[in-house]
């Protein structure tokens, strides 16, 4: 099985940049998920093994259920430690951009990222990479950026020395971006990689529980309430949506991560093709975060681009709307009607 993904020139270039750099920054997208964090932390772990001293800078908070991930204690959060992060950005002589395809995905860090003259290297699996880099490793067929990181470390000859912590970070990223290997996960390379990672002694069942079975009683009640009271099934369209208001978040003592994966839940309805969630921002008025999930060939990303100022993957996309919840619901209904033919086919 061929795990290598870089050609000779790319491999040489990557080695050269790593060798010549002293101040490496690794960054990922806003609201980092398991893959953004897992790939960033794993790559940092590898670079440390090479005698480097990289810093992982993330835009903002990540869910509590990822707190246990190895090496999170070393993360610098941009929204919490701006002065320190700005100094690190200014010093950087090499920047790795992991799990995003365009600089707007780092939100408040976009300014410093765009301004930096340090060479940038992207590892990502989203469509349409659009950043000026010295090296872009973009593979939309890969299940996760963590898979890409594994393959690069492998190709660099770093597997033997790979730490258990690094293996756990990679496994977590692959697992979360595939919903516990239930979607986007039918390529045999994935299981070859898992087999190799297991050699490092990780407990995959425990990692699953750490990520997926950590709800608070409030979070479980919130999720049940959403599906019982808030789910709108659009009859005949094989589509559904639900809305989460700030008031509801307050009532259920909502913390980041409580709604994680909830948008997948309606897809368990037989025949359901599309599920959309709308969530009010917890601070800003008139800002609605949109998540879209689909099955088979329904293109969430096209819908996200055309209706929700966003994008993403074929079956998992996101975006945002600047309007009231009532208006956002109207946009959802318009989008569903616009795609009537595909949804009903
Ligand atoms: P989520 O629903 O978990 O926020 O996002 C699902 C997927 O869509 C993720 O892979 C994420 O990277 C992508 N995504 C979310 N928001 C945006 C956006 O505004 N633009 C683009 N291009 N992708 C997004
Ligand atoms: Mn990802």
């Amino acid at each position: 099985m061929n795990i290598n993904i870089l050609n000779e020139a790319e491999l040489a270039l990557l080695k050269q940049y790593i060798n010549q750099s002293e101040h490496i920054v690794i960054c990922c997208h806003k609201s980092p998920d398991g893959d953004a964090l897992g790939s960033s932390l794993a790559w940092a772990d590898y670079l440390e093994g090479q005698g480097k001293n990289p810093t992982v800078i993330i835009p903002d908070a990540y869910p509590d259920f990822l707190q246990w991930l190895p090496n999170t204690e070393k993360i610098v959060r941009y929204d919490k430690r701006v002065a320190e992060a700005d100094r690190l950005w200014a010093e950087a002589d090499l920047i790795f951009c992991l799990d995003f395809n365009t600089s707007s995905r780092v939100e408040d860090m976009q300014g410093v990222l765009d301004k930096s003259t340090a060479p940038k290297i992207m590892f990502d699996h989203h469509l349409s990479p659009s950043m000026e880099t010295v090296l872009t490793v973009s593979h939309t067929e890969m299940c996760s950026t963590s898979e890409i990181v594994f393959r690069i470390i492998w190709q660099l000859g770093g597997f033997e020395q790979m730490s258990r912590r690094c293996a756990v970070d990679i496994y977590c990223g692959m697992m979360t971006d595939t919903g516990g290997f239930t979607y986007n996960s039918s390529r045999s390379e994935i299981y070859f990689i898992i087999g190799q990672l297991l050699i490092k002694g990780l407990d995959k069942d425990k990692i699953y529980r750490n990520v997926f079975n950590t709800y608070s009683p409030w979070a479980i009640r919130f999720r049940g309430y959403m599906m019982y009271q808030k789910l709108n099934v659009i009859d005949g369209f094989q589509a559904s949506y639900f809305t989460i208001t700030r008031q509801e978040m307050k009532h259920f003592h909502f913390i980041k991560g409580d709604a994680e994966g909830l948008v997948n839940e309606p897809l368990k309805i037989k025949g359901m093709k599309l599920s959309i969630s709308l969530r009010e921002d917890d601070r800003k008025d008139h800002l609605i975060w949109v998540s879209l999930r689909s099955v088979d060939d329904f293109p969430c990303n096209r819908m996200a681009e055309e209706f929700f100022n966003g994008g993403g993957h074929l079956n998992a996309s996101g975006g945002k709307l600047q309007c009231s919840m009532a208006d956002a619901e109207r946009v959802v209904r318009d989008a569903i009607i616009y795609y009537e033919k595909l949804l009903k086919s």
Side-chain angles (χ1 to χ4, degrees):
M1 186 165 297
N2 185 16
I3 292 299
N4 296 346
I5 51 174
L6 304 175
N7 64 35
E8 287 301 318
E10 290 170 333
L11 185 63
L13 197 69
L14 178 61
K15 282 183 185 167
Q16 181 200 326
Y17 275 108
I18 294 172
N19 285 339
Q20 72 190 27
S21 303
E22 291 300 325
H23 301 282
I24 301 176
V25 163
I26 301 169
C27 63
C28 63
H29 59 74
K30 184 191 152 69
S31 297
D33 54 13
D35 185 36
L37 279 187
S39 59
S40 298
L41 294 171
W43 187 238
D45 195 278
Y46 168 77
L47 292 174
E48 278 171 17
Q50 301 303 302
K52 300 290 168 180
N53 189 20
T55 315
V56 175
I57 308 182
I58 67 173
D60 59 353
Y62 53 88
D64 269 2
F65 64 76
L66 295 173
Q67 194 69 52
W68 62 274
L69 266 177
N71 300 333
T72 49
E73 64 284 355
K74 295 183 194 156
I75 289 174
V76 176
R77 248 179 76 178
Y78 190 73
D79 62 337
K80 284 267 168 96
R81 291 154 69 183
V82 180
E84 183 188 353
D86 276 342
R87 185 179 50 75
L88 290 162
W89 277 110
E91 270 178 13
D93 55 6
L94 180 60
I95 298 170
F96 284 98
C97 301
L98 267 58
D99 203 36
F100 64 95
N101 54 356
T102 170
S103 62
S104 63
R105 296 279 291 128
V106 300
E107 294 270 343
D108 292 347
M109 289 199 311
Q110 184 179 1
V112 277
L113 179 59
D114 284 345
K115 236 183 10 213
S116 174
T117 53
K120 293 168 191 141
I121 294 180
M122 178 197 288
F123 300 161
D124 184 44
H125 68 134
H126 296 91
L127 288 171
S128 320
S130 63
M131 277 181 63
E132 224 170 278
T133 64
V134 292
L135 175 63
T136 291
V137 184
S138 169
H139 286 270
T140 54
E141 77 280 14
M142 307 251 158
C143 76
S144 56
T145 302
S146 297
E147 176 182 347
I148 295 174
V149 165
F150 177 91
R151 295 170 80 138
I152 290 173
I153 294 174
W154 179 273
Q155 193 168 1
L156 287 164
F159 179 70
E160 280 296 311
Q161 283 171 40
M162 181 183 281
S163 69
R164 186 167 159 275
R165 296 162 76 84
C166 181
V168 169
D169 287 329
I170 288 172
Y171 183 82
C172 181
M174 291 173 66
M175 183 190 78
T176 50
D177 255 25
T178 56
F181 305 103
T182 60
Y183 47 80
N184 204 10
S185 56
S186 290
R187 289 162 38 258
S188 58
E189 290 93 332
I190 294 172
Y191 301 92
F192 172 81
I193 293 171
I194 295 172
Q196 297 301 310
L197 291 173
L198 289 171
I199 295 171
K200 299 291 177 182
L202 53 84
D203 182 344
K204 68 181 260 306
D205 304 342
K206 187 162 177 214
I207 295 173
Y208 184 96
R209 286 197 305 277
N210 280 347
V211 170
F212 293 120
N213 298 353
T214 58
Y215 296 117
S216 68
W218 275 113
I220 284 287
R221 290 195 172 93
F222 167 76
R223 296 168 80 90
Y225 164 80
M226 278 293 147
M227 292 300 100
Y228 180 43
Q229 298 280 357
K230 300 295 302 285
L231 184 66
N232 297 281
V233 177
I234 315 295
D235 280 334
F237 282 77
Q238 310 187 105
S240 68
Y241 75 92
F242 59 93
T243 63
I244 305 174
T245 66
R246 207 185 285 170
Q247 202 184 1
E248 286 160 342
M249 289 191 266
K250 200 165 162 225
H251 177 76
F252 286 96
H253 305 266
F254 187 93
I255 57 164
K256 204 159 185 144
D258 281 357
E260 189 73 27
L262 190 56
V263 65
N264 294 304
E265 203 61 22
L267 293 178
K268 293 180 182 168
I269 299 170
K270 193 171 182 182
M272 190 61 67
K273 279 198 178 165
L274 172 68
S275 168
I276 301 177
S277 71
L278 299 172
R279 180 174 56 81
E280 286 180 351
D281 189 76
D282 53 0
R283 283 188 212 120
K284 279 187 211 151
D285 287 332
H286 285 86
L287 174 57
I288 312 279
W289 295 98
V290 185
S291 285
L292 303 96
R293 299 291 185 272
S294 68
V295 295
D296 294 336
D297 53 2
F298 185 84
C300 280
N301 43 6
R302 257 177 56 202
M303 186 184 254
E305 279 165 29
E306 287 166 1
F307 286 89
F308 303 110
N309 311 300
H313 311 280
L314 185 73
N315 295 135
S317 305
K320 59 188 171 188
L321 290 171
Q322 278 164 342
C323 61
S324 68
M325 187 58 98
D327 285 340
E329 285 192 61
R330 278 188 271 279
V331 177
V332 166
R333 287 178 179 272
D334 287 348
I336 289 173
I337 289 165
Y338 182 83
Y339 277 91
E340 177 172 7
K341 233 170 135 184
L342 266 182
L343 287 168
K344 288 185 171 174
S345 67

